[in-house]
Amino acid sequence: QVRLVESGGGLVQAGGSLRLSCAASGSFLRINAMAWYRQAPGKQRDLVATISSGGETNYVDSVKGRFTISRDNAKNTVYLQMNSLKPEDTAVYHCNAGYIMRTFLIGDAWGQGTLVTVSS
């Protein structure tokens, strides 16, 4: 099994910044692409940003120029630096990771989520 644990959420005023972290642990051979999703109250879970194992990144239009996704492959950790936060960024943020187990089983894992609240 692969376990993802997020941290770094909290309450921040509009215009402020937060940095989320998500660390992967378990008996995996390799972590592939990693991503951040978010789910606002009463809404579906939406993709925010992705990063490949080689570092290629993609962002949803609403966060381009404000959010930066990065990863530390040695630590099996993905980060999301969030700047110029807006009230509409309020959501539970979940990380996701594709992996290959030592048994060569392929799958993906989800973290439990961390709450980000942006006050106006």
Side-chain angles (χ1 to χ4, degrees):
Q1 283 288 60
V2 176
R3 184 181 181 213
L4 301 179
V5 178
E6 299 106 333
S7 61
L11 173 64
V12 64
Q13 288 187 332
S17 299
L18 283 174
R19 187 189 193 213
L20 306 183
S21 300
C22 173
S25 61
S27 300
F28 51 83
L29 184 64
R30 174 190 172 96
I31 295 292
N32 293 327
M34 304 182 83
W36 286 97
Y37 287 74
R38 65 186 179 186
Q39 187 167 17
K43 296 188 176 181
Q44 67 181 19
R45 187 175 296 184
D46 293 324
L47 179 65
V48 175
T50 65
I51 185 166
S52 70
S53 57
E56 182 176 349
T57 59
N58 285 285
Y59 300 89
V60 66
D61 286 346
S62 60
V63 308
K64 284 182 180 177
R66 300 188 299 122
F67 291 10
T68 302
I69 188 171
S70 61
R71 64 190 288 169
D72 184 334
N73 290 332
K75 295 181 179 180
N76 296 307
T77 299
V78 63
Y79 306 96
L80 187 67
Q81 177 67 43
M82 305 184 294
N83 299 328
S84 302
L85 282 161
K86 304 175 181 179
E88 51 263 44
D89 295 318
T90 294
V92 176
Y93 284 71
H94 297 266
C95 68
N96 172 268
Y99 59 83
I100 302 174
M101 298 296 287
R102 297 186 187 280
T103 58
F104 299 102
L105 176 71
I106 297 172
D108 75 306
W110 289 92
Q112 82 288 351
T114 185
L115 176 62
V116 172
T117 304
V118 184
S119 63
S120 58

